[in-house]
Amino acid sequence: MTTITNTKPAGPVTPAGRRDPRAVWRRRLRSLRGTAGRLVIVVALGAVLEWAVASGRISQVQLPRPTDMLRALVEGLLDGHYLRLLGVTLAETGVAFTAAAVVGTTLGYLLWRRPILGRAYEPALYALASAPIVLLYPVLLVVFGRNPVAVTVLGFLAGLLPVLITTFQAFQRLNPTYLKVARVMRLTDRQAFLRVLLPAAMPSVVVGLRLGLTFTLLNVLGMEYLAGIGGVGSEISLAYTRLRSDEMYGALVLSIALSVAFLLLLNRLTERVMRR
Amino acid sequence: MSTMTDHRTHTTGALVVDNVSKSFRGDGGLGEPVPALGNVSLQVDHGEFVSLIGPSGCGKSTLINIAAGLVGDYDGAVRIHGDRVTTPHPGIGMVFQEESTFPWLTTQQNVEFGLRMSGVSAKERRDQARDMIELVGLGNAAERYPAKLSGGMRQRVALARALVMEPEILLMDEPFAALDEQTRMVLGEELLRIQSKLQQTVVFVTHNLGEAVQLSDRVVAMTARPATIKAIVEVDLPRPRDSSIVSSPRYGELVAELWSLLRDEAIAALGERERG
Amino acid sequence: MTVPAAALDPGTRSNRPARAPSLSRVRLAGVLGVLVLWEAAATLFARLATADFFPHLWTLAAAYGEVFSSRFATDVALTGYELFWGLLFGIGSGLLLGLALGLNHFAREIVEPLLVYLGTVPKIVLYPVLLLFLTVGVESKIAMAALSTFFPVVLHTITAATEVRPLWLSAARVLRASALQRLRYVYLPAMAPSVYSGIRLGIAAGIIGTLMAETKAAQGGVGYRVIYYYSQYDIPEMYAVLILVFVFSIALASVLGWIGRRLRLSDSDPAEEGALL
Ligand SMILES: Nc1ncnc2c1ncn2[C@@H]1O[C@H](COP(=O)(O)OP(=O)(O)OP(=O)(O)O)[C@@H](O)[C@H]1O
Ligand SMILES: [Mg+2]
């Protein structure tokens, strides 16, 4: 491929890569600029709020000083309380997602192997994917009681559909030539699946898994808050009822950090898988 | 026969390129300037058909884009009717090298687009577009969207979209590159017919030396980047021409001459890409 | 078209399509299967002590009598009111900010990642903040709906602005389109599909956000009704309302999808539509 942006006809050629090191630096600088800009925005916002609360323009009850929030967050982390909450949330998410991944990919594949089922139920799956699954939480409370199991089941349900649908689509959109190639090479079903179909479908399946994990975490946190059970999400609800707004905001920052950390982690992982 | 510069006076030409240079900065304006055009001067007369040939990446599209008024910032001057071009001149028509049909419009609507912008009545533009669509052989694809057309068909839509405006100057950047040889021949003849009927001035970029000879009055051979004019070859074949011309001995000689002009440049361009 | 899986083993499966059952029959079988399973579970659990969470189908049907004879219409009206304003604010602000960022390269580079990060946070956890600043009444629900709607709309609008290919603008310029005409005939149609799917997702997210908020702290509304029945342990009535909510959401999604296809605007992936909290 032609690389337009960083070709320098007369410039020195680096032995290792052909990339111009100055261009790499420029790119790095630009991404640094973005990060710095965002940092400035967040810090400025924090400073404005700090000032607004300190000067009494916003009541302490509605919004503690950002510094107090951070103190609550750090204290919570240090005395192990938040770590326990994080543990519960991560455990729920982990179990729910693992189950969703196993069941979703299997069902998605089976649905494709039986085209009649796939065609019959595909619209229903899409419809369910746009349904407000999280509102089932009272049902799960009734069935499983007020405990982390109920949260886990909701996380499983929420993660299941995207995984299932994308797996089904991944196989369905496989280039038909792959199937022909497998046939021409006289591969057995098993070989064809392991050596041709699966590798070919993998990138899309990974996208589905990523989506599933995001949904699972969203729903776990959401239900924890709504039902007041489980980990980080429930802490927000409890602190609110205790009228401890600094603790509430601390837990809020914690759950935002958790979501963002997941996003960044997933970006890294999928980048790695996709790069192959 | 071949000259380095154009000695005719600069006032008679339909399109006058006067000492035009252009360099790009890569990396979003942060990189080193890369020269794409170096001091190109050329004069195209009224009703003349001029082809540009030259190695890939040498700057042909850049020149065409400047002439179309799509690149405001360049050195030197391109003049149409004596005015320096910085925005699209109303008398100009263009066929782009890349896919440029509007995906949200049908073939018919795509071809009508320019007429509609200039306020031609609905009935009139429907009929004109209809005729042009028939002419490029898309009669039964008039109501289809570009997504449902092949690459060659889309390029013919773009061609019809430019031709229907009956522009005084037609800039064509590899308009036939995506077409099969037979369609290319037929459309070439058709283009010549329209061009001589409307007395249009055409600047035509191509990599196909035979095509250049078949269609043009003059062929301009350009050097590897930064493009300068290496030689201009007069095509002294009689008009009107049709595709039977390819069997004449003079045709073969001209193609051979162009190839000998381009050979070294092509190799130079390849070498540069290896290094870049 | 479905890729026939049978292509892999040509001998056995591929040459008997005639015996394949029809789609509608498979679907009917699916629906009946679910109903039968439900009844079986209901019967089984009725034997046990904790009987109530699988009510018989007829109990469920009867529950609608109770739901409709209550003040359910008032709840629907309240939720509708909250949604109307919430969606209006959410879509409006999302479009405005999305356009501003989409057209300003520098601002977008800095702010878009911030919006993406915040977009992955379940908005409902911000509900207590809204409660602290607003009342438990309609204001907090409207704010919740607007907040939920905002993110899909703004993110899709930014994307839409980047989907306008410069080449289209060049082509339009050479075809003599004025700046205003380019806005109307290039920007608008080129951005419409992405913006529309943003609005569609935004509406769905707004509905979920509002209902969740109503289940948490409210004085009325459909979500409040669900949690009210739950707290009263009126399980069949709770199911009845939830089924209505599901049917409504799915119907709305289908209608919006249909409109999108009619207007040639649909480009979104159905699998992504659940990321709405
Ligand atoms: N917008 C741009 N920014 C930076 N560099 C550019 C830009 N456009 C073109 N270039 C560079 O200018 C040179 C000439 O490009 P141009 O597209 O004019 O070549 P071309 O002769 O049309 O090639 P081809 O025959 O492959 O179409 C190339 O080296 C290209 O990398
Ligand atoms: Mg080109």
Side-chain angles (χ1 to χ4, degrees), chain A residues 120-121 137 179 183 215 225 237, chain C residues 3 7 26-27 110 215-216 275:
Chain A
Y121 296 131
Y137 85 89
L179 300 179
R183 213 164 103 193
F215 284 19
Y225 165 69
S237 178
Chain C
V3 180
V26 176
R27 285 188 186 138
I110 290 174
T215 66
K216 185 67 182 173

Side-chain angles (χ1 to χ4, degrees), chain A residues 3-5 7, chain B residues 24-26 34-36 54-63 97 173-174 205 207 225 272:
Chain A
T3 40
I4 293 179
T5 43
T7 25
Chain B
F24 290 105
R25 278 177 180 277
V34 176
S56 182
C58 77
K60 303 179 297 295
S61 297
T62 306
L63 181 58
Q97 177 174 7
D173 196 352
E174 304 191 29
V205 176
H207 283 294
R225 197 188 65 184
E272 186 195 300

